[in-house]
PDB file of all heavy atoms in Angstrom:
ATOM      1  N   LYS P 439     109.121 -77.895 -72.051  1.00  0.00           N
ATOM      2  CA  LYS P 439     107.733 -78.260 -72.345  1.00  0.00           C
ATOM      3  C   LYS P 439     106.889 -78.098 -71.076  1.00  0.00           C
ATOM      4  O   LYS P 439     105.815 -77.491 -71.087  1.00  0.00           O
ATOM      5  CB  LYS P 439     107.702 -79.705 -72.843  1.00  0.00           C
ATOM      6  CG  LYS P 439     106.335 -80.173 -73.266  1.00  0.00           C
ATOM      7  CD  LYS P 439     106.410 -81.452 -74.081  1.00  0.00           C
ATOM      8  CE  LYS P 439     105.018 -82.014 -74.321  1.00  0.00           C
ATOM      9  NZ  LYS P 439     104.478 -82.733 -73.161  1.00  0.00           N
ATOM     10  N   MET P 440     107.424 -78.624 -69.999  1.00  0.00           N
ATOM     11  CA  MET P 440     106.738 -78.564 -68.715  1.00  0.00           C
ATOM     12  C   MET P 440     106.473 -77.107 -68.315  1.00  0.00           C
ATOM     13  O   MET P 440     105.356 -76.734 -67.951  1.00  0.00           O
ATOM     14  CB  MET P 440     107.672 -79.218 -67.692  1.00  0.00           C
ATOM     15  CG  MET P 440     107.017 -79.646 -66.445  1.00  0.00           C
ATOM     16  SD  MET P 440     106.107 -81.146 -66.679  1.00  0.00           S
ATOM     17  CE  MET P 440     106.945 -82.221 -65.551  1.00  0.00           C
ATOM     18  N   TRP P 441     107.501 -76.287 -68.402  1.00  0.00           N
ATOM     19  CA  TRP P 441     107.379 -74.875 -68.046  1.00  0.00           C
ATOM     20  C   TRP P 441     106.343 -74.199 -68.932  1.00  0.00           C
ATOM     21  O   TRP P 441     105.462 -73.492 -68.433  1.00  0.00           O
ATOM     22  CB  TRP P 441     108.721 -74.156 -68.207  1.00  0.00           C
ATOM     23  CG  TRP P 441     109.627 -74.279 -67.030  1.00  0.00           C
ATOM     24  CD1 TRP P 441     110.665 -75.144 -66.898  1.00  0.00           C
ATOM     25  CD2 TRP P 441     109.587 -73.513 -65.819  1.00  0.00           C
ATOM     26  NE1 TRP P 441     111.282 -74.973 -65.691  1.00  0.00           N
ATOM     27  CE2 TRP P 441     110.647 -73.964 -64.994  1.00  0.00           C
ATOM     28  CE3 TRP P 441     108.768 -72.496 -65.346  1.00  0.00           C
ATOM     29  CZ2 TRP P 441     110.903 -73.434 -63.730  1.00  0.00           C
ATOM     30  CZ3 TRP P 441     109.034 -71.964 -64.086  1.00  0.00           C
ATOM     31  CH2 TRP P 441     110.079 -72.434 -63.298  1.00  0.00           C
ATOM     32  N   ASP P 442     106.460 -74.409 -70.248  1.00  0.00           N
ATOM     33  CA  ASP P 442     105.548 -73.729 -71.173  1.00  0.00           C
ATOM     34  C   ASP P 442     104.101 -74.074 -70.843  1.00  0.00           C
ATOM     35  O   ASP P 442     103.229 -73.204 -70.790  1.00  0.00           O
ATOM     36  CB  ASP P 442     105.874 -74.110 -72.621  1.00  0.00           C
ATOM     37  CG  ASP P 442     107.189 -73.488 -73.064  1.00  0.00           C
ATOM     38  OD1 ASP P 442     107.644 -72.538 -72.390  1.00  0.00           O
ATOM     39  OD2 ASP P 442     107.776 -73.965 -74.062  1.00  0.00           O
ATOM     40  N   GLU P 443     103.867 -75.356 -70.590  1.00  0.00           N
ATOM     41  CA  GLU P 443     102.491 -75.777 -70.311  1.00  0.00           C
ATOM     42  C   GLU P 443     101.994 -75.180 -68.998  1.00  0.00           C
ATOM     43  O   GLU P 443     100.870 -74.685 -68.919  1.00  0.00           O
ATOM     44  CB  GLU P 443     102.423 -77.311 -70.236  1.00  0.00           C
ATOM     45  CG  GLU P 443     102.427 -77.929 -71.623  1.00  0.00           C
ATOM     46  CD  GLU P 443     102.518 -79.451 -71.582  1.00  0.00           C
ATOM     47  OE1 GLU P 443     102.314 -80.032 -70.483  1.00  0.00           O
ATOM     48  OE2 GLU P 443     102.796 -80.039 -72.630  1.00  0.00           O
ATOM     49  N   ALA P 444     102.848 -75.243 -67.997  1.00  0.00           N
ATOM     50  CA  ALA P 444     102.419 -74.755 -66.681  1.00  0.00           C
ATOM     51  C   ALA P 444     102.168 -73.246 -66.730  1.00  0.00           C
ATOM     52  O   ALA P 444     101.162 -72.753 -66.212  1.00  0.00           O
ATOM     53  CB  ALA P 444     103.474 -75.080 -65.641  1.00  0.00           C
ATOM     54  N   GLU P 445     103.078 -72.531 -67.382  1.00  0.00           N
ATOM     55  CA  GLU P 445     102.921 -71.077 -67.449  1.00  0.00           C
ATOM     56  C   GLU P 445     101.666 -70.707 -68.242  1.00  0.00           C
ATOM     57  O   GLU P 445     100.915 -69.811 -67.862  1.00  0.00           O
ATOM     58  CB  GLU P 445     104.172 -70.439 -68.064  1.00  0.00           C
ATOM     59  CG  GLU P 445     105.379 -70.584 -67.152  1.00  0.00           C
ATOM     60  CD  GLU P 445     106.662 -69.927 -67.674  1.00  0.00           C
ATOM     61  OE1 GLU P 445     106.709 -69.520 -68.854  1.00  0.00           O
ATOM     62  OE2 GLU P 445     107.604 -69.840 -66.889  1.00  0.00           O
ATOM     63  N   ALA P 446     101.444 -71.465 -69.325  1.00  0.00           N
ATOM     64  CA  ALA P 446     100.261 -71.184 -70.144  1.00  0.00           C
ATOM     65  C   ALA P 446      98.992 -71.479 -69.337  1.00  0.00           C
ATOM     66  O   ALA P 446      98.009 -70.723 -69.410  1.00  0.00           O
ATOM     67  CB  ALA P 446     100.298 -72.018 -71.419  1.00  0.00           C
ATOM     68  N   ALA P 447      99.021 -72.548 -68.558  1.00  0.00           N
ATOM     69  CA  ALA P 447      97.833 -72.915 -67.771  1.00  0.00           C
ATOM     70  C   ALA P 447      97.503 -71.800 -66.767  1.00  0.00           C
ATOM     71  O   ALA P 447      96.350 -71.383 -66.636  1.00  0.00           O
ATOM     72  CB  ALA P 447      98.074 -74.227 -67.035  1.00  0.00           C
ATOM     73  N   LEU P 448      98.531 -71.288 -66.086  1.00  0.00           N
ATOM     74  CA  LEU P 448      98.286 -70.230 -65.104  1.00  0.00           C
ATOM     75  C   LEU P 448      97.739 -68.980 -65.786  1.00  0.00           C
ATOM     76  O   LEU P 448      96.784 -68.358 -65.321  1.00  0.00           O
ATOM     77  CB  LEU P 448      99.572 -69.858 -64.359  1.00  0.00           C
ATOM     78  CG  LEU P 448     100.211 -70.910 -63.476  1.00  0.00           C
ATOM     79  CD1 LEU P 448     101.171 -70.246 -62.485  1.00  0.00           C
ATOM     80  CD2 LEU P 448      99.165 -71.679 -62.698  1.00  0.00           C
ATOM     81  N   GLU P 449      98.358 -68.650 -66.909  1.00  0.00           N
ATOM     82  CA  GLU P 449      97.922 -67.429 -67.588  1.00  0.00           C
ATOM     83  C   GLU P 449      96.486 -67.549 -68.084  1.00  0.00           C
ATOM     84  O   GLU P 449      95.718 -66.603 -68.038  1.00  0.00           O
ATOM     85  CB  GLU P 449      98.876 -67.120 -68.743  1.00  0.00           C
ATOM     86  CG  GLU P 449      99.451 -65.750 -68.534  1.00  0.00           C
ATOM     87  CD  GLU P 449     100.337 -65.251 -69.629  1.00  0.00           C
ATOM     88  OE1 GLU P 449     101.219 -66.014 -70.083  1.00  0.00           O
ATOM     89  OE2 GLU P 449     100.154 -64.088 -70.015  1.00  0.00           O
ATOM     90  N   LYS P 450      96.168 -68.749 -68.543  1.00  0.00           N
ATOM     91  CA  LYS P 450      94.806 -68.968 -69.051  1.00  0.00           C
ATOM     92  C   LYS P 450      93.783 -68.743 -67.932  1.00  0.00           C
ATOM     93  O   LYS P 450      92.760 -68.091 -68.132  1.00  0.00           O
ATOM     94  CB  LYS P 450      94.685 -70.391 -69.602  1.00  0.00           C
ATOM     95  CG  LYS P 450      93.302 -70.707 -70.119  1.00  0.00           C
ATOM     96  CD  LYS P 450      93.265 -71.990 -70.905  1.00  0.00           C
ATOM     97  CE  LYS P 450      91.844 -72.253 -71.425  1.00  0.00           C
ATOM     98  NZ  LYS P 450      90.847 -72.346 -70.371  1.00  0.00           N
ATOM     99  N   VAL P 451      94.090 -69.274 -66.761  1.00  0.00           N
ATOM    100  CA  VAL P 451      93.157 -69.104 -65.640  1.00  0.00           C
ATOM    101  C   VAL P 451      92.976 -67.621 -65.326  1.00  0.00           C
ATOM    102  O   VAL P 451      91.854 -67.136 -65.166  1.00  0.00           O
ATOM    103  CB  VAL P 451      93.682 -69.836 -64.380  1.00  0.00           C
ATOM    104  CG1 VAL P 451      92.821 -69.505 -63.183  1.00  0.00           C
ATOM    105  CG2 VAL P 451      93.708 -71.336 -64.621  1.00  0.00           C
TER     106      VAL P 451
END
Side-chain angles (χ1 to χ4, degrees):
K439 184 165 172 281
M440 199 77 119
W441 276 99
D442 289 343
E443 282 174 14
E445 292 182 349
L448 295 199
E449 238 184 313
K450 179 168 181 301
V451 172

